[in-house]
Amino acid sequence: MVYPNGAVVPRYHYQSVKTKGDNEMDDQWGIAEYDPEWRSLFLEVGRNIREALGDIADRIDHVGSTSIVGLNAKPIIDIQISISNFEDVSQYKNKLESIEFVFRKENPDKTKRYFRKFRDIGEHIFMSDKRGVTQSN
């Protein structure tokens, strides 16, 4: 997690890895051997997100399979951002687009907002209302 003051605290979550063919993203990404650089990449991206969003983001967490040390995974850095005013997309959309994330407004899951960016590795952001997300410290 990247706090507003820039401090970083790791947080690990388990997320199942789907088999090839379960969705459109699986055709683009295979399972890769664990890479210790995934954590460094999250820290870099997390700091950029914190700089772009400032205090709008209550939490920025590395979630999903790449957050688990030693686990082979699809090379996609999943990032969960929790905010107080989730419904007001205008407060964060342009800020995330300024750091090259693309908003996917067609996301059918209305409990979160979805952004993504692709370089050599995929980066996905899931925005959620902090009041509707179970979080542990």
Side-chain angles (χ1 to χ4, degrees), residues 6-18:
V8 178
V9 176
R11 182 172 166 200
Y12 301 102
H13 295 269
Y14 286 89
Q15 174 178 318
S16 63
V17 176
K18 296 179 186 257

Side-chain angles (χ1 to χ4, degrees), residues 29-63:
W29 303 101
I31 302 298
E33 287 188 29
Y34 172 75
D35 186 342
E37 289 299 312
W38 289 339
R39 175 170 163 70
S40 298
L41 180 56
F42 163 71
L43 295 175
E44 173 190 332
V45 173
R47 285 186 183 107
N48 290 341
I49 292 169
R50 173 59 67 198
E51 189 174 298
L53 294 179
D55 291 338
I56 292 172
D58 295 305
R59 297 180 66 113
I60 301 171
D61 295 299
H62 184 191
V63 299

